[in-house]
Amino acid sequence: MLEIHLRVSHTRVKVRFDYKVVRAGTSEVLILAHTVHACVNKDGRPTRAPDWLVAAMKGAATSGSTLPEGYQPIGR
């Protein structure tokens, strides 16, 4: 069994997801990874995120270190 912990940070243009995968019931870290997502317009140029997306991320964003403090389990 695995646990996936997630941390989210964002600006008005980019969203970063930091992932930590551990063996369930242990502190053994198997994988540390991150992805960065950008909002772009129809021409592929960076643009501000729509208000509905910024509102949906309120409360989900965290600040400070991305490893390992502050991760929240999202699945087992």
Side-chain angles (χ1 to χ4, degrees), residues 17-40:
F17 296 96
D18 289 281
Y19 310 92
K20 179 173 75 167
V21 179
V22 299
R23 193 170 310 281
T26 73
S27 60
E28 180 185 1
V29 177
L30 302 174
I31 298 170
L32 296 174
H34 76 271
T35 58
V36 177
H37 307 262
C39 296
V40 297

Side-chain angles (χ1 to χ4, degrees), residues 1 3 12 24-25 38 45 48 50 57 66 73-74:
M1 245 340 174
E3 292 179 356
R12 285 290 291 181
R45 293 182 173 266
R48 293 178 63 138
M57 289 187 295
T66 58
I74 61 170

Side-chain angles (χ1 to χ4, degrees), residues 1-2 9 14 44 70 74-75:
M1 245 340 174
L2 302 176
S9 59
K14 295 188 296 186
I74 61 170

